Amino acid sequence: MTRIIVADDHTLVRAGLQRILAGSDDLEVVGEAANGAQAMALLEQTPCDVLLLDLSMPGRSGMDLIAQIKASFPRVAILVLTMHGEEQYAVRALKAGAVGYMTKESAPSELVSAVRKVVAGGVHLSLAMAERIAQDLATAAGDTPGYRRLSDREFDVFLMLARGLNLSDIADSLCVSAKTVSTYKARVLQKLDLKSQTELVHYAIKHNLLRDSL
């Protein structure tokens, strides 16, 4: 029996995942968490094989959480299930220690097969995501674009700014102060050699980083 913990801050999402996984006799949800702290506490108390993890829960960066979980519980397979369809998020999640990456638009059957694959030691990416990552890496082979040099938190802020969110909205989403977000914004503009949020939006469109949100 494969033991699964579901970490997502939306109750309805957790309930939906529970129903999908309950349809397979070899899969069992042994716990649920609504944020990173709850996920860490649950992992310490409950033996588990696979962690289904949302990247956008309140609090610390999803990438930081993946790295911490992988360091503390190396045998747990982390399968990211998120709304972020951008390949840069997938690349960063895999580098942090995840072994699978899916969007919440994936079919239920793909979720079940992905869980079985990662618990068996494999890596799961949808075919479309794998192709996009390969194309992205091939395009950038000769020149590393500036956005790749952003930290995980800077990249989060960068994409939120590019989507038109203001500092207060971003601060609420990341559970930090607006002043902290302003500092991240300044770092992003400096690293990308941009002068304004308008230029930042144009930069994101030019590099095809908003393909799933426009």
Side-chain angles (χ1 to χ4, degrees), residues 91-208:
V91 170
R92 288 168 184 262
L94 294 175
K95 286 183 177 179
V99 291
Y101 191 97
M102 301 175 60
T103 67
K104 291 181 178 178
E105 297 178 351
S106 303
S109 59
E110 183 183 350
L111 174 62
V112 171
S113 63
V115 169
R116 289 172 176 159
K117 185 175 182 179
V118 299
V119 80
V123 175
H124 177 81
L125 287 171
S126 68
L127 179 59
M129 179 64 76
E131 289 178 347
R132 283 161 54 178
I133 290 174
Q135 291 170 357
D136 191 44
L137 293 175
T139 301
D143 182 25
T144 301
Y147 67 83
R148 290 184 181 275
R149 295 191 290 270
L150 299 177
S151 71
D152 293 326
R153 183 61 97 188
E154 289 168 351
F155 188 70
D156 286 340
V157 171
F158 163 66
L159 284 186
M160 290 181 183
L161 289 169
R163 293 186 180 111
L165 275 68
N166 61 38
L167 297 185
S168 296
D169 292 335
I170 298 173
D172 289 343
S173 176
L174 300 179
C175 296
V176 298
S177 69
K179 182 177 180 180
T180 297
V181 176
S182 180
T183 299
Y184 280 121
K185 178 181 178 180
R187 291 179 189 170
V188 169
L189 292 176
Q190 181 179 26
K191 287 185 177 182
L192 299 183
D193 194 24
L194 303 173
K195 296 181 176 60
S196 67
Q197 187 163 342
T198 300
E199 288 189 4
L200 185 149
V201 173
H202 291 161
Y203 179 95
I205 294 172
K206 176 183 176 181
H207 288 275
N208 208 19

Side-chain angles (χ1 to χ4, degrees), residues 9-69:
D9 59 328
H10 293 95
T11 304
L12 287 177
V13 171
R14 296 197 304 272
L17 294 173
Q18 174 86 259
R19 285 195 297 272
I20 292 170
L21 297 169
S24 301
D25 294 338
D26 59 327
L27 306 179
E28 179 186 10
V29 175
V30 295
E32 298 181 7
N35 55 53
Q38 288 182 12
M40 288 297 296
L42 196 54
L43 285 166
E44 290 174 357
Q45 301 167 4
T46 309
C48 140
D49 303 300
V50 177
L51 172 66
L52 281 182
L53 180 67
D54 179 22
L55 283 183
S56 302
M57 295 185 293
R60 65 186 306 174
S61 162
M63 305 306 172
D64 289 345
L65 183 59
I66 291 172
Q68 182 183 4
I69 291 171

